[in-house]
């Protein structure tokens, strides 16, 4: 009997073995899940998911797409293109960022020969360029993906904005320069390469 006692003591010190039991989901949680499922079904049935949703965004695909870009004979908004493509670097004032991005306001490149401005927009520029007596060494990307009408609109906008008072540029200038520079795959290397266009 004394031998059984240590065994009983050891058994008492042990935790009870876990038992598997079915624990049903609490009623509150079950009710919440049922209500959410029913709400989802009702929402799908009444929101017309293949058409405009009465509960969500009512805009159509045409409204979200915005105006069609540069349709032939259509008016293109150069200010809107400038705001979308250029304002981050050149700023709304056209003053650029000192030492980083050259200004457009008062720039001899902007109100100078239209062909040069057309080539800057079509092919971009990298390297040193002097604007209003200040040297800049950076890179401007090409905007060749824009149509001739869009490029003409944005060029005309910057040529007539701020203190610039130059005449508009026709889309035909961009069309001609695009054809003339069709073989160019790299940006112009600085202001000297742009001036060479006039020789």
């Amino acid at each position: 009997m004394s031998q059984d006692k240590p065994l009983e003591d050891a058994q008492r010190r042990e935790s009870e073995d876990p038992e598997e039991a079915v624990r049903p989901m609490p009623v509150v949680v079950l009710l919440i899940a049922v209500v959410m499922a029913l709400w989802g079904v009702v929402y799908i049935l009444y929101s017309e998911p293949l058409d405009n949703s009465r509960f969500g965004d009512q805009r159509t695909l045409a409204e979200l797409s915005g105006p069609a870009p540069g349709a032939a004979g259509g008016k293109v908004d150069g200010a809107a293109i400038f705001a979308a493509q250029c304002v981050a670097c050149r700023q709304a004032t056209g003053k650029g960022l000192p030492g980083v991005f050259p200004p457009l306001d008062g720039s001899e490149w902007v109100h100078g020969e239209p062909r040069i401005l057309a080539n800057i927009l079509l092919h971009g520029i990298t390297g040193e360029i002097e604007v209003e007596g200040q040297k800049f060494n950076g890179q401007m990307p090409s905007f060749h993906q824009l149509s001739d009408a869009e490029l003409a609109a944005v060029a005309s906008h910057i040529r007539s904005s701020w203190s610039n008072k130059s005449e508009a540029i026709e889309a035909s200038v961009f069309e001609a320069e695009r054809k003339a520079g069709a073989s160019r795959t790299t940006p112009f290397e600085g202001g000297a390469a742009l001036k060479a266009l006039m020789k």
Side-chain angles (χ1 to χ4, degrees), residues 115 118-119 121-123 144 146-148 151 171-185 188 197:
R115 282 188 57 228
N119 277 280
L121 290 171
L122 282 168
H123 304 293
H144 69 276
L146 298 177
S147 71
D148 295 333
L151 289 170
S172 58
V173 173
F174 287 90
E175 182 182 6
E177 294 305 314
R178 193 187 295 268
K179 285 178 185 171
S183 60
R184 176 176 280 279
T185 57
F188 285 94
L197 283 174

Side-chain angles (χ1 to χ4, degrees), residues 153-177:
V154 74
S156 298
H157 168 72
I158 64 175
R159 283 170 61 91
S160 62
S161 295
W162 314 296
S163 68
N164 298 334
K165 303 296 178 211
S166 297
E167 69 281 354
I169 299 179
E170 295 296 323
S172 58
V173 173
F174 287 90
E175 182 182 6
E177 294 305 314

Side-chain angles (χ1 to χ4, degrees), residues 2-196:
S2 61
Q3 290 178 349
D4 292 337
K5 187 167 173 47
L7 185 59
E8 290 174 9
D9 290 341
Q11 287 175 338
R12 276 192 224 109
R13 285 195 302 271
E14 294 294 324
S15 301
E16 291 184 18
D17 288 338
E19 294 180 10
E20 288 188 27
V22 176
R23 295 185 180 168
M25 182 184 291
V27 176
V28 173
V29 175
L30 183 61
L31 285 174
I32 291 172
V34 169
V35 168
M36 288 178 69
L38 289 173
W39 181 83
V41 169
V42 170
Y43 178 83
I44 289 171
L45 291 174
Y46 284 96
S47 67
E48 304 166 6
L50 301 178
D51 201 357
N52 287 339
S53 170
R54 287 189 301 226
F55 301 116
D57 195 344
Q58 298 278 332
R59 292 176 294 176
T60 65
L61 184 59
E63 290 171 327
L64 291 170
S65 298
K75 179 81 171 133
V76 181
D77 187 354
I81 296 171
F82 178 83
Q85 303 284 341
C86 314
V87 80
C89 299
R90 307 305 176 160
Q91 307 300 299
T93 60
K95 298 290 186 191
L97 292 174
V100 184
F101 298 115
L104 298 176
D105 184 16
S107 168
E108 59 271 28
W109 300 100
V110 171
H111 58 76
E113 173 59 43
R115 282 188 57 228
I116 291 183
L117 180 57
N119 277 280
I120 291 172
L121 290 171
L122 282 168
H123 304 293
I125 184 169
T126 185
E128 188 174 282
I129 187 169
E130 189 173 317
V131 180
E132 293 189 301
Q134 285 188 300
K135 291 188 178 181
F136 294 85
N137 197 337
Q139 184 172 6
M140 178 183 158
S142 161
F143 291 97
H144 69 276
Q145 73 277 9
L146 298 177
S147 71
D148 295 333
E150 289 172 315
L151 289 170
V154 74
S156 298
H157 168 72
I158 64 175
R159 283 170 61 91
S160 62
S161 295
W162 314 296
S163 68
N164 298 334
K165 303 296 178 211
S166 297
E167 69 281 354
I169 299 179
E170 295 296 323
S172 58
V173 173
F174 287 90
E175 182 182 6
E177 294 305 314
R178 193 187 295 268
K179 285 178 185 171
S183 60
R184 176 176 280 279
T185 57
T186 58
F188 285 94
E189 294 176 359
L194 288 169
K195 287 179 180 174

